[in-house]
Amino acid sequence: MDFAFSDREELLRKSVREWAEQELPPRMEEMEETGEFPMDLMPAMGRMGFCGVITPKQYGGTEMGNLARILVLEELGTVCPAIPMAMQVHHMCTYALVTNGSEAQKEKYLPPLVKGETMGVVAVTDPSGGSDVAGMQTSAEKKGDTWILNGRKCFITNSHHSDIWVVIAKTGEGRKGLSAFIVEKDFPGAVLGRKEHKVGLRGANTGEMAFQDCEVPAENLLGEEGAGMGVALSDITNCGRPGMTAVGLGILNAVLKEAAKFANERTLYGKPIARLQSIQNHLAEIYQDRELARLAAYRVGWMLDQGMRVDTESALAKSFACEAAARSARKAIELHGSYGIMNEYAVQRLLRDAIVTIPAGGTAEIAKLVMSRAALAAAS
Ligand SMILES: Cc1cc2nc3c(=O)[nH]c(=O)nc-3n(C[C@H](O)[C@H](O)[C@H](O)COP(=O)(O)OP(=O)(O)OC[C@H]3O[C@@H](n4cnc5c(N)ncnc54)[C@H](O)[C@@H]3O)c2cc1C
């Protein structure tokens, strides 16, 4: 067993950190106020290799792998968690195309995504679906050489900044009743809905999209007809949950840094509060959460790079890291006293950001359903 990162991974971590510390802080206030993702940074993130970190080189990616992806998202999230929220869904779009796309689809759609010319979308959730993926109402019906999509998707990351949407829709009944499609923003009948105003991760755009007799050419079916549930679940398991784990981990890094800084700077009774044992307990618990989230996150990235299944591990890592981020951010606020709930202090934003990670990529209850299968198998 080897817990050391390679020189290449250390270098990647350092370069992402330097870039993020320089480019992101000046943008964060505006992101917080407007709820807009800074699209003008996308080409730079494309050049830095963030957008194509898990995309094969033949389509312009850097193909650095899943552990490298976790490191990129973690470092971005340590500075500004909304950026990896958006980026991880962008990766989910590239992942869906790489693993299910025809050669023609990959050649057409991956290069602009990898270069950061647009953002990627994966639209699974609709108002009647959510955790019950098969319960979705968004439908697709084949008419000649065209699929006609009708329905509405909600809570979709990057909705208003994307030209390329991977959309899951109902094409039949039962487990093979869903199919995946690549929808271009400008296809007739593809319509953007409202932008959501979230409490946290505000700089990651979330919104609705609708399909009103939307015409999708037959060649834009992604994978086989009836394979949509597999496209969605493998994307959520292998990309979405590991990505959300990294967002949670980035928040934990930031929470720990803010809490330790405040504990050293705030003086009471003539000494820094870091000398009070209950404050040390808070810090130790935040540190413990961060370290365990790190182990869980890196294990999933490593396992994916070995070609191993991660159904249980990615559910565990995601639910642990996101819950730990919220728990630790709350402790950090308490450690700040009343300063913690003032806008000038980052910990209040970090708590808001952490809360938003909990349903994204599947709720904690659904993660427990996945883990309970492994728990029950322990009896045999
Ligand atoms: C920031 C953010 C970004 C997102 N981005 C995307 C995106 O890009 N693409 C996309 O498709 N979706 C996206 N989503 C949607 C997200 O995946 C869903 O919100 C999530 O799957 C939960 O669905 P729901 O909100 O409809 O809740 P529901 O499914 O209605 O759940 C309501 C409650 O019931 C519980 N519950 C549901 N089923 C069970 C069960 N079987 N057992 C026990 N409890 C259960 C849930 O845990 C929850 O507590 C995003 C969400 C957020 C917050």
Side-chain angles (χ1 to χ4, degrees), residues 24 35 67 149 209 273:
L24 302 181
L67 183 54
L149 267 63
M209 40 191 39
I273 60 167

PDB file of all heavy atoms in Angstrom, residues 24 35 67 149 209 273:
ATOM      1  N   LEU A  24      -9.066  33.288  -8.380  1.00  0.00           N
ATOM      2  CA  LEU A  24     -10.438  33.167  -7.884  1.00  0.00           C
ATOM      3  C   LEU A  24     -10.853  34.210  -6.839  1.00  0.00           C
ATOM      4  O   LEU A  24     -11.975  34.744  -6.938  1.00  0.00           O
ATOM      5  CB  LEU A  24     -10.702  31.741  -7.370  1.00  0.00           C
ATOM      6  CG  LEU A  24     -10.480  30.650  -8.443  1.00  0.00           C
ATOM      7  CD1 LEU A  24     -10.784  29.267  -7.873  1.00  0.00           C
ATOM      8  CD2 LEU A  24     -11.340  30.903  -9.681  1.00  0.00           C
ATOM      9  N   GLY A  35     -24.719  35.228  -8.344  1.00  0.00           N
ATOM     10  CA  GLY A  35     -25.027  33.810  -8.572  1.00  0.00           C
ATOM     11  C   GLY A  35     -24.551  33.343  -9.933  1.00  0.00           C
ATOM     12  O   GLY A  35     -24.995  32.317 -10.440  1.00  0.00           O
ATOM     13  N   LEU A  67      -7.715  10.231  -9.774  1.00  0.00           N
ATOM     14  CA  LEU A  67      -7.089  10.792  -8.573  1.00  0.00           C
ATOM     15  C   LEU A  67      -6.649  12.234  -8.866  1.00  0.00           C
ATOM     16  O   LEU A  67      -6.845  13.135  -8.046  1.00  0.00           O
ATOM     17  CB  LEU A  67      -5.891   9.924  -8.149  1.00  0.00           C
ATOM     18  CG  LEU A  67      -5.184  10.354  -6.876  1.00  0.00           C
ATOM     19  CD1 LEU A  67      -6.149  10.474  -5.707  1.00  0.00           C
ATOM     20  CD2 LEU A  67      -4.061   9.368  -6.517  1.00  0.00           C
ATOM     21  N   LEU A 149     -38.459  15.331 -27.834  1.00  0.00           N
ATOM     22  CA  LEU A 149     -38.392  15.371 -26.364  1.00  0.00           C
ATOM     23  C   LEU A 149     -39.416  16.364 -25.814  1.00  0.00           C
ATOM     24  O   LEU A 149     -39.573  17.466 -26.373  1.00  0.00           O
ATOM     25  CB  LEU A 149     -36.994  15.801 -25.884  1.00  0.00           C
ATOM     26  CG  LEU A 149     -35.993  14.670 -25.580  1.00  0.00           C
ATOM     27  CD1 LEU A 149     -35.691  13.890 -26.846  1.00  0.00           C
ATOM     28  CD2 LEU A 149     -34.716  15.224 -24.975  1.00  0.00           C
ATOM     29  N   MET A 209     -34.375  23.544 -17.416  1.00  0.00           N
ATOM     30  CA  MET A 209     -34.429  23.515 -18.878  1.00  0.00           C
ATOM     31  C   MET A 209     -35.691  22.744 -19.289  1.00  0.00           C
ATOM     32  O   MET A 209     -36.099  21.820 -18.596  1.00  0.00           O
ATOM     33  CB  MET A 209     -33.154  22.898 -19.451  1.00  0.00           C
ATOM     34  CG  MET A 209     -32.642  21.735 -18.709  1.00  0.00           C
ATOM     35  SD  MET A 209     -30.976  21.201 -19.182  1.00  0.00           S
ATOM     36  CE  MET A 209     -30.087  22.670 -19.453  1.00  0.00           C
ATOM     37  N   ILE A 273      -7.447  32.182  21.908  1.00  0.00           N
ATOM     38  CA  ILE A 273      -8.429  31.155  22.303  1.00  0.00           C
ATOM     39  C   ILE A 273      -7.963  29.753  21.900  1.00  0.00           C
ATOM     40  O   ILE A 273      -8.487  28.765  22.404  1.00  0.00           O
ATOM     41  CB  ILE A 273      -9.855  31.456  21.757  1.00  0.00           C
ATOM     42  CG1 ILE A 273      -9.853  31.509  20.222  1.00  0.00           C
ATOM     43  CG2 ILE A 273     -10.424  32.717  22.380  1.00  0.00           C
ATOM     44  CD1 ILE A 273     -11.261  31.486  19.621  1.00  0.00           C
TER      45      ILE A 273
END
